[in-house]
Amino acid sequence: MQPIAVIDFETTGLSPAMGDRATEVAIVLVEGDKVVDRFQSLMNAGVRIPAFITGLTGITNAMVASAPDAATVMADASRFVGNAPLVAHNASFDRKFWEAELSRAGERATQPFACTMLVARRLYPHAPSHKLGVLVDYHRLPKAGRAHRALADAEMAASLLGQIQHDLRSRHGVARPDHALLMALQRCAKPAVPALMAQYADA
């Protein structure tokens, strides 16, 4: 099965369109049901981290001051991902920063993004919420360290992706729950999910 890169950013705020920048990126490379490699780095984007963000993530201005510059980290991250498609939890957030930071670094962002939050909404409508930590607890998946640090969140999103792929195989009869199916599932209206699953099970 094609490798999938599960990514998470920590940032100074919610949107690069508002001038926010990435402070940390982590990527977990998954092949089948195994994690085969990891990438993680703080990055110095030359902007100050608000105190409330430091309170949330634990990432301080002093920590990023001694980190590599953002363009260097993003070039390394882009090489690490290569042609692998990307997955993130609440992917619209991470995709914006992936595209904005790569653009600043003179790199192209060509990888498609699938979202474990959107897929989980289709597959687990009865979960108490679809936040990453809640879904990890709901499925009794291992916690991977401090939440709101990039590697811990990427590890947990990778565990959730593994659970999703397991359930697609065992509950829905999908032999190869690949990235293309995740993309189709996240775009699928909830009432149409059974028909989509039947189509992939027959494939």
Side-chain angles (χ1 to χ4, degrees), residues 34 104 154 161 201:
K34 292 184 173 61
R104 284 176 176 271
L161 172 63

Side-chain angles (χ1 to χ4, degrees), residues 127-147:
S129 96
H130 294 91
K131 292 180 178 179
L132 181 58
V134 173
L135 287 165
V136 165
D137 289 341
Y138 180 72
H139 290 292
R140 297 183 174 85
L141 300 171
K143 291 287 179 71
R146 175 180 174 141

Side-chain angles (χ1 to χ4, degrees), residues 4-22:
I4 293 174
V6 183
I7 192 167
D8 186 81
F9 281 98
E10 301 304 331
T11 69
T12 61
L14 294 176
S15 173
M18 303 293 289
D20 295 315
R21 298 293 303 276

